[in-house]
Amino acid sequence: MNPAANFPATAETDSRTPEELPGVVTRLFKGVLYAEGDEKLWQSLLGLSSQVRDYVSVLGLDLILDESEGYAFLKSREDHDGTLPRLIPRRQLTFNVSLLLALLRGRMLEFDTNSSELRLIMTEQDIADMVAVFLPESSNEARIMDRLATDIRKVVDLGFLRKLRGQPGTYEVARILKAFVDAQWLEEFDARLADYRSSLSGTGPAGAGPAKEEDAK
């Protein structure tokens, strides 16, 4: 079903670019729209952002648009009464994936502070070294690497890591991660990592630290 097809075009949108609005909204329902992935559609979104916001607001959704970082996606509004059905489903993330996302966000913050480069590139070994700091010394290395590979694949599926063509085991950390692990989450970053370290070392309750729920993209 085309979600945009249920909405009548307003006089303003119909007089501007009536053929573009349904396509932009429908594309956003399929997942994150990146400027570099579809430049023509991205320009259409920028020109119709107000109309897009009006369309999706009827469905209890917000348009998250970061023009400087070059991404946009739809996010369900907070519904404390539980009266609205969720068109963008939530997926509960595992403890290990939550840890990996938190560490990647911390690395991106460090990267943006200390580097003039735009793309944060990491290898599987870089990621393994980053995670290893929070693992008990007695851990089985082979088992850890197998689990980490699974976690990395999950983060790739979520769209927060991108495989680089022709460079096996090398990834770009997607900048949309900044929208997912937001400022409020970062304020609690040290406390969360302490909980993670405690849990992974066996000195705290299993799964310590709240697992992150994520709007499926």
Side-chain angles (χ1 to χ4, degrees):
M1 182 181 70
N2 183 341
N6 296 325
F7 296 94
T10 65
E12 180 181 355
T13 57
D14 188 60
S15 63
R16 289 187 58 186
T17 48
E19 76 285 357
E20 294 180 16
L21 187 56
V24 171
V25 174
T26 301
R27 173 60 184 81
L28 286 167
F29 267 91
K30 294 181 179 180
V32 180
L33 173 62
Y34 291 101
E36 62 186 29
D38 192 327
E39 184 177 351
K40 182 178 179 180
L41 199 61
W42 177 257
Q43 292 301 321
S44 295
L45 171 61
L46 295 183
L48 295 169
S49 59
S50 295
Q51 289 86 342
V52 171
R53 292 183 195 280
D54 290 342
Y55 266 50
V56 301
S57 67
V58 178
L59 298 173
L61 302 174
D62 288 323
L63 171 65
I64 308 301
L65 171 62
D66 192 319
E67 187 173 353
S68 62
E69 299 287 7
Y71 62 76
F73 62 95
L74 299 178
K75 182 177 182 180
S76 295
R77 292 177 180 173
E78 292 297 328
D79 179 26
H80 301 292
D81 297 330
T83 57
L84 291 174
R86 294 192 65 86
L87 294 178
I88 308 296
R90 281 190 180 276
R91 291 178 288 186
Q92 186 76 20
L93 301 182
T94 66
F95 170 78
N96 293 322
V97 171
S98 296
L99 170 62
L100 181 52
L101 291 177
L103 294 175
L104 288 171
R105 182 62 183 94
R107 181 61 61 88
M108 177 171 283
L109 179 63
E110 179 183 346
F111 176 80
D112 287 346
T113 301
N114 300 318
S115 175
S116 60
E117 299 292 328
L118 296 178
R119 302 174 68 198
L120 172 55
I121 307 298
M122 300 184 69
T123 65
E124 287 184 354
Q125 188 60 54
D126 293 333
I127 297 173
D129 292 342
M130 179 178 66
V131 173
V133 176
F134 301 92
L135 301 180
E137 295 181 0
S138 59
S139 297
N140 183 297
E141 184 176 353
R143 184 177 179 181
I144 289 174
M145 293 305 297
D146 287 343
R147 188 179 69 184
L148 180 60
T150 299
D151 295 338
I152 289 175
R153 285 196 295 270
K154 176 63 175 178
V155 175
V156 170
D157 290 342
L158 290 170
F160 299 123
L161 283 176
R162 301 178 189 169
K163 296 180 180 178
L164 295 188
R165 293 181 180 178
Q167 301 182 52
T170 305
Y171 304 87
E172 177 182 355
V173 183
R175 303 198 68 82
I176 194 174
L177 182 62
K178 295 172 64 176
F180 175 66
V181 182
D182 55 22
Q184 182 177 355
W185 217 56
L186 284 176
E187 288 178 359
E188 304 170 4
F189 191 67
D190 289 340
R192 289 177 187 270
L193 290 185
D195 287 340
Y196 288 140
R197 191 194 301 272
S198 175
S199 175
L200 288 171
S201 64
T203 60
K212 178 77 171 177
E213 278 193 341
E214 177 252 352
D215 282 320
K217 299 178 178 64

